[in-house]
Amino acid sequence: MEPDKQDSPPPEESQPTPPTATDCCINCGGPTVFPPEPPSRSDISPPPSYRPIRSPAVNLPPNHLTYQQSIILAPIPKSQKVPALSPPFSFQTPPAKRIHSPDDLRRFHDSLTAVNFLGFVVALSDSVCGQKVSDPCPTVSPTVSALVSVLQTLIQFVDDIPPVGQSSRYGNLSYRTWHSRMVQNAETLMQRVITLQDDEYAYRPAVAEIIPYFTDSFGNESRIDYGTGHETNFAAWLYCLARLGLIKEEDYQAVVTKVFVKYLDLMRKLQLVYCLEPAGSHGVWGLDDYHFLPFVFGSSQLIDHKYMKPKSIHNEDILESFSNEYLYLSCVAFVKKVKKGPFAEHSPMLNDISGVPNWNKVNTGLLKMYKAEVLGKVPIMQHFLFGSLIPCFVPTSMLPDFKS
């Protein structure tokens, strides 16, 4: 005899069954038996003790803590003299890309060329240690004045070529017109510098080799973007001029406070007028969407300052009063101008650096970071050019003219 339904064992509480026909209301047909309430959140898993206010802007590698520690423990890059070439010259035209893989990049970093180029950046940084932008320079050579004039001409090109109306937020098409005019006039602009030399005809063949560094310093025409790789090309252009002996050590302070400051003015104008896309930006996890070197030079300016410390970047009065004199403050003020929201959220890296006790540690840390995050990245350095002025993969034993 089949057992009565009332004598059947009830289902387990952990596995509730859907309501049957006998569990329905005789009036409306709705269920009269409901599954038990789900357990509370704390019964499943306790809430985390820390909930981040934002997600990472980029996918950090699993070993990023080890990577950061390797940067901290890396030796501090040292200043180096740039060995100037002497006539007769043998130039390579055009310079070529030589870095295509991590192995190529490793070979480059093992060469004295890489050490000397980074040493040139360190020397520029050291030249403005404790110096304001407006402080008098030991010398302002005709070459430095010509370089400033070249950049001023490019700024005038921006004024002559207004942006076109378009719906897209980034990449105004008028930038391509500006870039084309810059490329068309590049040789004439280079001649402004070359013609100042006593042996002008000996230097003229160098124009074809240094022009690609110059034209790659202001962004990419097709992508309408700009980043630290283009900025590094500008430093490479200055390095080439130093290799030619056109820029000397006594010019370094003026190169930073006059030439590089003018370059920064130009690039900010290009970014604002033509809405350049950040090239390979790290988002909020980078120093800036576009630049790195002004933070290096600017931190050197503030070393041993009596009143301003790294945390002073949070003081709006200091930024307003001194951003024209110190590149680091200028960069922070510009970031706050173009980005909205809490500073700690849109610029967490700069916010973290503001907790470093002194500017000397900031400067040395940024130099290590520049070597690792810019010169040490294949996506950036695969576009870098090499020729007779910046040779690649050359060991110390085979490059006697680099020995100081």
PDB file of all heavy atoms in Angstrom, residues 42-77:
ATOM      1  N   SER A  42      27.683  37.887   6.542  1.00  0.00           N
ATOM      2  CA  SER A  42      28.728  37.536   7.505  1.00  0.00           C
ATOM      3  C   SER A  42      28.819  36.037   7.711  1.00  0.00           C
ATOM      4  O   SER A  42      29.849  35.524   8.122  1.00  0.00           O
ATOM      5  CB  SER A  42      28.457  38.235   8.848  1.00  0.00           C
ATOM      6  OG  SER A  42      27.187  37.842   9.342  1.00  0.00           O
ATOM      7  N   ASP A  43      27.696  35.296   7.418  1.00  0.00           N
ATOM      8  CA  ASP A  43      27.764  33.852   7.563  1.00  0.00           C
ATOM      9  C   ASP A  43      28.538  33.210   6.412  1.00  0.00           C
ATOM     10  O   ASP A  43      29.116  32.142   6.548  1.00  0.00           O
ATOM     11  CB  ASP A  43      26.347  33.265   7.598  1.00  0.00           C
ATOM     12  CG  ASP A  43      25.591  33.702   8.851  1.00  0.00           C
ATOM     13  OD1 ASP A  43      26.271  33.986   9.858  1.00  0.00           O
ATOM     14  OD2 ASP A  43      24.348  33.774   8.797  1.00  0.00           O
ATOM     15  N   ILE A  44      28.494  33.869   5.247  1.00  0.00           N
ATOM     16  CA  ILE A  44      29.209  33.330   4.087  1.00  0.00           C
ATOM     17  C   ILE A  44      30.682  33.704   4.150  1.00  0.00           C
ATOM     18  O   ILE A  44      31.575  32.870   4.069  1.00  0.00           O
ATOM     19  CB  ILE A  44      28.591  33.869   2.785  1.00  0.00           C
ATOM     20  CG1 ILE A  44      27.123  33.459   2.700  1.00  0.00           C
ATOM     21  CG2 ILE A  44      29.357  33.352   1.569  1.00  0.00           C
ATOM     22  CD1 ILE A  44      26.408  34.069   1.511  1.00  0.00           C
ATOM     23  N   SER A  45      30.944  35.003   4.254  1.00  0.00           N
ATOM     24  CA  SER A  45      32.315  35.500   4.288  1.00  0.00           C
ATOM     25  C   SER A  45      32.317  36.850   4.989  1.00  0.00           C
ATOM     26  O   SER A  45      31.495  37.707   4.657  1.00  0.00           O
ATOM     27  CB  SER A  45      32.854  35.657   2.863  1.00  0.00           C
ATOM     28  OG  SER A  45      34.119  36.276   2.874  1.00  0.00           O
ATOM     29  N   PRO A  46      33.175  37.068   5.931  1.00  0.00           N
ATOM     30  CA  PRO A  46      33.203  38.375   6.604  1.00  0.00           C
ATOM     31  C   PRO A  46      33.619  39.466   5.634  1.00  0.00           C
ATOM     32  O   PRO A  46      34.362  39.218   4.686  1.00  0.00           O
ATOM     33  CB  PRO A  46      34.258  38.163   7.696  1.00  0.00           C
ATOM     34  CG  PRO A  46      35.110  37.055   7.196  1.00  0.00           C
ATOM     35  CD  PRO A  46      34.195  36.157   6.409  1.00  0.00           C
ATOM     36  N   PRO A  47      33.119  40.676   5.793  1.00  0.00           N
ATOM     37  CA  PRO A  47      33.492  41.766   4.897  1.00  0.00           C
ATOM     38  C   PRO A  47      34.974  42.072   4.999  1.00  0.00           C
ATOM     39  O   PRO A  47      35.580  41.868   6.055  1.00  0.00           O
ATOM     40  CB  PRO A  47      32.647  42.947   5.397  1.00  0.00           C
ATOM     41  CG  PRO A  47      32.355  42.623   6.829  1.00  0.00           C
ATOM     42  CD  PRO A  47      32.237  41.125   6.888  1.00  0.00           C
ATOM     43  N   PRO A  48      35.602  42.516   3.893  1.00  0.00           N
ATOM     44  CA  PRO A  48      37.042  42.824   3.948  1.00  0.00           C
ATOM     45  C   PRO A  48      37.310  43.990   4.886  1.00  0.00           C
ATOM     46  O   PRO A  48      36.492  44.895   5.052  1.00  0.00           O
ATOM     47  CB  PRO A  48      37.377  43.184   2.498  1.00  0.00           C
ATOM     48  CG  PRO A  48      36.087  43.628   1.907  1.00  0.00           C
ATOM     49  CD  PRO A  48      35.029  42.815   2.572  1.00  0.00           C
ATOM     50  N   SER A  49      38.469  43.953   5.520  1.00  0.00           N
ATOM     51  CA  SER A  49      38.842  45.032   6.434  1.00  0.00           C
ATOM     52  C   SER A  49      39.175  46.309   5.691  1.00  0.00           C
ATOM     53  O   SER A  49      39.134  47.402   6.256  1.00  0.00           O
ATOM     54  CB  SER A  49      40.056  44.605   7.278  1.00  0.00           C
ATOM     55  OG  SER A  49      41.154  44.286   6.421  1.00  0.00           O
ATOM     56  N   TYR A  50      39.540  46.242   4.377  1.00  0.00           N
ATOM     57  CA  TYR A  50      39.853  47.437   3.574  1.00  0.00           C
ATOM     58  C   TYR A  50      39.189  47.315   2.224  1.00  0.00           C
ATOM     59  O   TYR A  50      39.318  46.313   1.537  1.00  0.00           O
ATOM     60  CB  TYR A  50      41.364  47.582   3.382  1.00  0.00           C
ATOM     61  CG  TYR A  50      41.735  48.616   2.342  1.00  0.00           C
ATOM     62  CD1 TYR A  50      41.572  49.972   2.595  1.00  0.00           C
ATOM     63  CD2 TYR A  50      42.207  48.222   1.089  1.00  0.00           C
ATOM     64  CE1 TYR A  50      41.880  50.922   1.632  1.00  0.00           C
ATOM     65  CE2 TYR A  50      42.515  49.161   0.125  1.00  0.00           C
ATOM     66  CZ  TYR A  50      42.358  50.511   0.411  1.00  0.00           C
ATOM     67  OH  TYR A  50      42.656  51.455  -0.540  1.00  0.00           O
ATOM     68  N   ARG A  51      38.439  48.301   1.860  1.00  0.00           N
ATOM     69  CA  ARG A  51      37.811  48.337   0.545  1.00  0.00           C
ATOM     70  C   ARG A  51      38.407  49.495  -0.233  1.00  0.00           C
ATOM     71  O   ARG A  51      38.249  50.645   0.159  1.00  0.00           O
ATOM     72  CB  ARG A  51      36.298  48.520   0.683  1.00  0.00           C
ATOM     73  CG  ARG A  51      35.617  47.369   1.413  1.00  0.00           C
ATOM     74  CD  ARG A  51      34.122  47.589   1.526  1.00  0.00           C
ATOM     75  NE  ARG A  51      33.497  46.553   2.313  1.00  0.00           N
ATOM     76  CZ  ARG A  51      32.201  46.523   2.617  1.00  0.00           C
ATOM     77  NH1 ARG A  51      31.415  47.484   2.176  1.00  0.00           N
ATOM     78  NH2 ARG A  51      31.712  45.549   3.340  1.00  0.00           N
ATOM     79  N   PRO A  52      39.137  49.229  -1.335  1.00  0.00           N
ATOM     80  CA  PRO A  52      39.786  50.320  -2.081  1.00  0.00           C
ATOM     81  C   PRO A  52      38.761  51.272  -2.661  1.00  0.00           C
ATOM     82  O   PRO A  52      37.670  50.867  -3.068  1.00  0.00           O
ATOM     83  CB  PRO A  52      40.567  49.592  -3.188  1.00  0.00           C
ATOM     84  CG  PRO A  52      39.875  48.272  -3.330  1.00  0.00           C
ATOM     85  CD  PRO A  52      39.359  47.930  -1.970  1.00  0.00           C
ATOM     86  N   ILE A  53      39.135  52.557  -2.720  1.00  0.00           N
ATOM     87  CA  ILE A  53      38.226  53.567  -3.263  1.00  0.00           C
ATOM     88  C   ILE A  53      38.279  53.592  -4.776  1.00  0.00           C
ATOM     89  O   ILE A  53      37.478  54.251  -5.410  1.00  0.00           O
ATOM     90  CB  ILE A  53      38.572  54.966  -2.707  1.00  0.00           C
ATOM     91  CG1 ILE A  53      39.985  55.363  -3.117  1.00  0.00           C
ATOM     92  CG2 ILE A  53      38.391  55.024  -1.222  1.00  0.00           C
ATOM     93  CD1 ILE A  53      40.361  56.777  -2.716  1.00  0.00           C
ATOM     94  N   ARG A  54      39.222  52.875  -5.383  1.00  0.00           N
ATOM     95  CA  ARG A  54      39.306  52.823  -6.831  1.00  0.00           C
ATOM     96  C   ARG A  54      39.972  51.513  -7.238  1.00  0.00           C
ATOM     97  O   ARG A  54      40.693  50.889  -6.461  1.00  0.00           O
ATOM     98  CB  ARG A  54      40.136  53.984  -7.377  1.00  0.00           C
ATOM     99  CG  ARG A  54      41.580  53.940  -6.904  1.00  0.00           C
ATOM    100  CD  ARG A  54      42.409  55.070  -7.482  1.00  0.00           C
ATOM    101  NE  ARG A  54      43.757  54.975  -6.992  1.00  0.00           N
ATOM    102  CZ  ARG A  54      44.184  55.501  -5.851  1.00  0.00           C
ATOM    103  NH1 ARG A  54      43.333  56.171  -5.106  1.00  0.00           N
ATOM    104  NH2 ARG A  54      45.426  55.371  -5.452  1.00  0.00           N
ATOM    105  N   SER A  55      39.751  51.125  -8.443  1.00  0.00           N
ATOM    106  CA  SER A  55      40.423  49.956  -9.004  1.00  0.00           C
ATOM    107  C   SER A  55      41.692  50.400  -9.701  1.00  0.00           C
ATOM    108  O   SER A  55      41.805  51.552 -10.116  1.00  0.00           O
ATOM    109  CB  SER A  55      39.500  49.246 -10.002  1.00  0.00           C
ATOM    110  OG  SER A  55      38.329  48.808  -9.354  1.00  0.00           O
ATOM    111  N   PRO A  56      42.682  49.523  -9.825  1.00  0.00           N
ATOM    112  CA  PRO A  56      43.916  49.917 -10.523  1.00  0.00           C
ATOM    113  C   PRO A  56      43.625  50.359 -11.946  1.00  0.00           C
ATOM    114  O   PRO A  56      42.777  49.794 -12.630  1.00  0.00           O
ATOM    115  CB  PRO A  56      44.761  48.631 -10.489  1.00  0.00           C
ATOM    116  CG  PRO A  56      44.205  47.833  -9.362  1.00  0.00           C
ATOM    117  CD  PRO A  56      42.747  48.159  -9.299  1.00  0.00           C
ATOM    118  N   ALA A  57      44.338  51.399 -12.390  1.00  0.00           N
ATOM    119  CA  ALA A  57      44.154  51.903 -13.751  1.00  0.00           C
ATOM    120  C   ALA A  57      44.771  50.970 -14.777  1.00  0.00           C
ATOM    121  O   ALA A  57      44.377  50.956 -15.934  1.00  0.00           O
ATOM    122  CB  ALA A  57      44.766  53.293 -13.891  1.00  0.00           C
ATOM    123  N   VAL A  58      45.752  50.187 -14.379  1.00  0.00           N
ATOM    124  CA  VAL A  58      46.365  49.203 -15.266  1.00  0.00           C
ATOM    125  C   VAL A  58      46.469  47.894 -14.516  1.00  0.00           C
ATOM    126  O   VAL A  58      46.415  47.857 -13.293  1.00  0.00           O
ATOM    127  CB  VAL A  58      47.785  49.643 -15.723  1.00  0.00           C
ATOM    128  CG1 VAL A  58      47.702  50.867 -16.594  1.00  0.00           C
ATOM    129  CG2 VAL A  58      48.692  49.886 -14.531  1.00  0.00           C
ATOM    130  N   ASN A  59      46.593  46.808 -15.253  1.00  0.00           N
ATOM    131  CA  ASN A  59      46.771  45.503 -14.632  1.00  0.00           C
ATOM    132  C   ASN A  59      48.222  45.346 -14.208  1.00  0.00           C
ATOM    133  O   ASN A  59      49.101  45.153 -15.042  1.00  0.00           O
ATOM    134  CB  ASN A  59      46.362  44.398 -15.611  1.00  0.00           C
ATOM    135  CG  ASN A  59      44.886  44.453 -15.944  1.00  0.00           C
ATOM    136  OD1 ASN A  59      44.078  44.752 -15.076  1.00  0.00           O
ATOM    137  ND2 ASN A  59      44.541  44.163 -17.187  1.00  0.00           N
ATOM    138  N   LEU A  60      48.468  45.451 -12.920  1.00  0.00           N
ATOM    139  CA  LEU A  60      49.830  45.331 -12.429  1.00  0.00           C
ATOM    140  C   LEU A  60      50.284  43.882 -12.527  1.00  0.00           C
ATOM    141  O   LEU A  60      49.490  42.960 -12.326  1.00  0.00           O
ATOM    142  CB  LEU A  60      49.903  45.809 -10.973  1.00  0.00           C
ATOM    143  CG  LEU A  60      49.544  47.275 -10.749  1.00  0.00           C
ATOM    144  CD1 LEU A  60      49.551  47.593  -9.262  1.00  0.00           C
ATOM    145  CD2 LEU A  60      50.498  48.184 -11.487  1.00  0.00           C
ATOM    146  N   PRO A  61      51.560  43.649 -12.839  1.00  0.00           N
ATOM    147  CA  PRO A  61      52.061  42.277 -12.942  1.00  0.00           C
ATOM    148  C   PRO A  61      52.041  41.598 -11.578  1.00  0.00           C
ATOM    149  O   PRO A  61      52.084  42.266 -10.535  1.00  0.00           O
ATOM    150  CB  PRO A  61      53.504  42.465 -13.446  1.00  0.00           C
ATOM    151  CG  PRO A  61      53.867  43.855 -13.036  1.00  0.00           C
ATOM    152  CD  PRO A  61      52.606  44.647 -13.091  1.00  0.00           C
ATOM    153  N   PRO A  62      51.974  40.254 -11.559  1.00  0.00           N
ATOM    154  CA  PRO A  62      51.933  39.544 -10.277  1.00  0.00           C
ATOM    155  C   PRO A  62      53.139  39.844  -9.396  1.00  0.00           C
ATOM    156  O   PRO A  62      53.029  39.807  -8.179  1.00  0.00           O
ATOM    157  CB  PRO A  62      51.901  38.064 -10.699  1.00  0.00           C
ATOM    158  CG  PRO A  62      51.401  38.074 -12.106  1.00  0.00           C
ATOM    159  CD  PRO A  62      51.884  39.349 -12.705  1.00  0.00           C
ATOM    160  N   ASN A  63      54.279  40.148  -9.984  1.00  0.00           N
ATOM    161  CA  ASN A  63      55.501  40.394  -9.213  1.00  0.00           C
ATOM    162  C   ASN A  63      55.800  41.885  -9.094  1.00  0.00           C
ATOM    163  O   ASN A  63      56.957  42.285  -8.999  1.00  0.00           O
ATOM    164  CB  ASN A  63      56.692  39.677  -9.857  1.00  0.00           C
ATOM    165  CG  ASN A  63      56.968  40.181 -11.272  1.00  0.00           C
ATOM    166  OD1 ASN A  63      56.084  40.774 -11.894  1.00  0.00           O
ATOM    167  ND2 ASN A  63      58.169  39.947 -11.758  1.00  0.00           N
ATOM    168  N   HIS A  64      54.746  42.738  -9.117  1.00  0.00           N
ATOM    169  CA  HIS A  64      55.004  44.177  -9.149  1.00  0.00           C
ATOM    170  C   HIS A  64      55.679  44.665  -7.877  1.00  0.00           C
ATOM    171  O   HIS A  64      56.441  45.626  -7.910  1.00  0.00           O
ATOM    172  CB  HIS A  64      53.695  44.939  -9.385  1.00  0.00           C
ATOM    173  CG  HIS A  64      52.731  44.902  -8.249  1.00  0.00           C
ATOM    174  ND1 HIS A  64      51.857  43.859  -8.063  1.00  0.00           N
ATOM    175  CD2 HIS A  64      52.504  45.774  -7.240  1.00  0.00           C
ATOM    176  CE1 HIS A  64      51.131  44.088  -6.988  1.00  0.00           C
ATOM    177  NE2 HIS A  64      51.488  45.228  -6.471  1.00  0.00           N
ATOM    178  N   LEU A  65      55.438  44.002  -6.751  1.00  0.00           N
ATOM    179  CA  LEU A  65      56.106  44.426  -5.516  1.00  0.00           C
ATOM    180  C   LEU A  65      57.604  44.155  -5.610  1.00  0.00           C
ATOM    181  O   LEU A  65      58.423  44.982  -5.183  1.00  0.00           O
ATOM    182  CB  LEU A  65      55.495  43.700  -4.319  1.00  0.00           C
ATOM    183  CG  LEU A  65      54.031  44.056  -3.993  1.00  0.00           C
ATOM    184  CD1 LEU A  65      53.536  43.232  -2.814  1.00  0.00           C
ATOM    185  CD2 LEU A  65      53.907  45.551  -3.691  1.00  0.00           C
ATOM    186  N   THR A  66      57.965  43.001  -6.165  1.00  0.00           N
ATOM    187  CA  THR A  66      59.383  42.697  -6.370  1.00  0.00           C
ATOM    188  C   THR A  66      60.004  43.670  -7.353  1.00  0.00           C
ATOM    189  O   THR A  66      61.143  44.124  -7.175  1.00  0.00           O
ATOM    190  CB  THR A  66      59.543  41.256  -6.880  1.00  0.00           C
ATOM    191  OG1 THR A  66      58.918  40.357  -5.972  1.00  0.00           O
ATOM    192  CG2 THR A  66      61.021  40.903  -7.037  1.00  0.00           C
ATOM    193  N   TYR A  67      59.243  44.036  -8.393  1.00  0.00           N
ATOM    194  CA  TYR A  67      59.734  44.976  -9.395  1.00  0.00           C
ATOM    195  C   TYR A  67      59.978  46.352  -8.780  1.00  0.00           C
ATOM    196  O   TYR A  67      61.004  46.987  -9.021  1.00  0.00           O
ATOM    197  CB  TYR A  67      58.725  45.061 -10.532  1.00  0.00           C
ATOM    198  CG  TYR A  67      59.048  46.097 -11.585  1.00  0.00           C
ATOM    199  CD1 TYR A  67      60.124  45.929 -12.445  1.00  0.00           C
ATOM    200  CD2 TYR A  67      58.278  47.249 -11.713  1.00  0.00           C
ATOM    201  CE1 TYR A  67      60.423  46.870 -13.416  1.00  0.00           C
ATOM    202  CE2 TYR A  67      58.572  48.197 -12.670  1.00  0.00           C
ATOM    203  CZ  TYR A  67      59.639  47.998 -13.520  1.00  0.00           C
ATOM    204  OH  TYR A  67      59.930  48.945 -14.462  1.00  0.00           O
ATOM    205  N   GLN A  68      59.020  46.814  -7.961  1.00  0.00           N
ATOM    206  CA  GLN A  68      59.199  48.110  -7.297  1.00  0.00           C
ATOM    207  C   GLN A  68      60.409  48.084  -6.368  1.00  0.00           C
ATOM    208  O   GLN A  68      61.158  49.056  -6.283  1.00  0.00           O
ATOM    209  CB  GLN A  68      57.939  48.464  -6.518  1.00  0.00           C
ATOM    210  CG  GLN A  68      56.739  48.794  -7.394  1.00  0.00           C
ATOM    211  CD  GLN A  68      55.480  49.051  -6.595  1.00  0.00           C
ATOM    212  OE1 GLN A  68      55.445  48.852  -5.380  1.00  0.00           O
ATOM    213  NE2 GLN A  68      54.437  49.485  -7.281  1.00  0.00           N
ATOM    214  N   GLN A  69      60.595  46.968  -5.670  1.00  0.00           N
ATOM    215  CA  GLN A  69      61.738  46.855  -4.774  1.00  0.00           C
ATOM    216  C   GLN A  69      63.044  46.889  -5.551  1.00  0.00           C
ATOM    217  O   GLN A  69      64.035  47.468  -5.091  1.00  0.00           O
ATOM    218  CB  GLN A  69      61.637  45.548  -3.972  1.00  0.00           C
ATOM    219  CG  GLN A  69      62.642  45.435  -2.826  1.00  0.00           C
ATOM    220  CD  GLN A  69      62.361  46.405  -1.696  1.00  0.00           C
ATOM    221  OE1 GLN A  69      61.304  47.012  -1.656  1.00  0.00           O
ATOM    222  NE2 GLN A  69      63.311  46.563  -0.792  1.00  0.00           N
ATOM    223  N   SER A  70      63.054  46.308  -6.767  1.00  0.00           N
ATOM    224  CA  SER A  70      64.277  46.326  -7.572  1.00  0.00           C
ATOM    225  C   SER A  70      64.630  47.744  -8.006  1.00  0.00           C
ATOM    226  O   SER A  70      65.810  48.088  -8.108  1.00  0.00           O
ATOM    227  CB  SER A  70      64.108  45.426  -8.806  1.00  0.00           C
ATOM    228  OG  SER A  70      63.143  45.964  -9.699  1.00  0.00           O
ATOM    229  N   ILE A  71      63.601  48.582  -8.257  1.00  0.00           N
ATOM    230  CA  ILE A  71      63.869  49.979  -8.606  1.00  0.00           C
ATOM    231  C   ILE A  71      64.464  50.713  -7.413  1.00  0.00           C
ATOM    232  O   ILE A  71      65.427  51.479  -7.540  1.00  0.00           O
ATOM    233  CB  ILE A  71      62.578  50.677  -9.078  1.00  0.00           C
ATOM    234  CG1 ILE A  71      62.069  50.045 -10.372  1.00  0.00           C
ATOM    235  CG2 ILE A  71      62.809  52.170  -9.273  1.00  0.00           C
ATOM    236  CD1 ILE A  71      60.773  50.647 -10.882  1.00  0.00           C
ATOM    237  N   ILE A  72      63.902  50.460  -6.230  1.00  0.00           N
ATOM    238  CA  ILE A  72      64.386  51.131  -5.023  1.00  0.00           C
ATOM    239  C   ILE A  72      65.837  50.764  -4.739  1.00  0.00           C
ATOM    240  O   ILE A  72      66.656  51.612  -4.352  1.00  0.00           O
ATOM    241  CB  ILE A  72      63.494  50.769  -3.823  1.00  0.00           C
ATOM    242  CG1 ILE A  72      62.083  51.336  -4.027  1.00  0.00           C
ATOM    243  CG2 ILE A  72      64.084  51.289  -2.520  1.00  0.00           C
ATOM    244  CD1 ILE A  72      61.082  50.882  -2.983  1.00  0.00           C
ATOM    245  N   LEU A  73      66.184  49.491  -4.948  1.00  0.00           N
ATOM    246  CA  LEU A  73      67.532  49.012  -4.635  1.00  0.00           C
ATOM    247  C   LEU A  73      68.527  49.259  -5.764  1.00  0.00           C
ATOM    248  O   LEU A  73      69.720  48.999  -5.591  1.00  0.00           O
ATOM    249  CB  LEU A  73      67.489  47.516  -4.304  1.00  0.00           C
ATOM    250  CG  LEU A  73      66.653  47.125  -3.072  1.00  0.00           C
ATOM    251  CD1 LEU A  73      66.641  45.612  -2.898  1.00  0.00           C
ATOM    252  CD2 LEU A  73      67.179  47.809  -1.807  1.00  0.00           C
ATOM    253  N   ALA A  74      68.063  49.742  -6.907  1.00  0.00           N
ATOM    254  CA  ALA A  74      68.961  49.980  -8.036  1.00  0.00           C
ATOM    255  C   ALA A  74      69.939  51.108  -7.698  1.00  0.00           C
ATOM    256  O   ALA A  74      69.615  52.021  -6.927  1.00  0.00           O
ATOM    257  CB  ALA A  74      68.161  50.350  -9.282  1.00  0.00           C
ATOM    258  N   PRO A  75      71.144  51.076  -8.256  1.00  0.00           N
ATOM    259  CA  PRO A  75      72.104  52.156  -8.002  1.00  0.00           C
ATOM    260  C   PRO A  75      71.611  53.472  -8.579  1.00  0.00           C
ATOM    261  O   PRO A  75      70.900  53.509  -9.589  1.00  0.00           O
ATOM    262  CB  PRO A  75      73.377  51.673  -8.710  1.00  0.00           C
ATOM    263  CG  PRO A  75      72.904  50.685  -9.737  1.00  0.00           C
ATOM    264  CD  PRO A  75      71.698  50.030  -9.149  1.00  0.00           C
ATOM    265  N   ILE A  76      71.985  54.563  -7.944  1.00  0.00           N
ATOM    266  CA  ILE A  76      71.582  55.889  -8.411  1.00  0.00           C
ATOM    267  C   ILE A  76      72.368  56.241  -9.663  1.00  0.00           C
ATOM    268  O   ILE A  76      73.603  56.147  -9.676  1.00  0.00           O
ATOM    269  CB  ILE A  76      71.841  56.945  -7.319  1.00  0.00           C
ATOM    270  CG1 ILE A  76      71.061  56.606  -6.053  1.00  0.00           C
ATOM    271  CG2 ILE A  76      71.473  58.340  -7.814  1.00  0.00           C
ATOM    272  CD1 ILE A  76      71.410  57.491  -4.870  1.00  0.00           C
ATOM    273  N   PRO A  77      71.713  56.609 -10.756  1.00  0.00           N
ATOM    274  CA  PRO A  77      72.444  57.011 -11.970  1.00  0.00           C
ATOM    275  C   PRO A  77      73.363  58.201 -11.684  1.00  0.00           C
ATOM    276  O   PRO A  77      73.009  59.110 -10.935  1.00  0.00           O
ATOM    277  CB  PRO A  77      71.328  57.394 -12.947  1.00  0.00           C
ATOM    278  CG  PRO A  77      70.121  56.671 -12.453  1.00  0.00           C
ATOM    279  CD  PRO A  77      70.258  56.634 -10.959  1.00  0.00           C
TER     280      PRO A  77
END
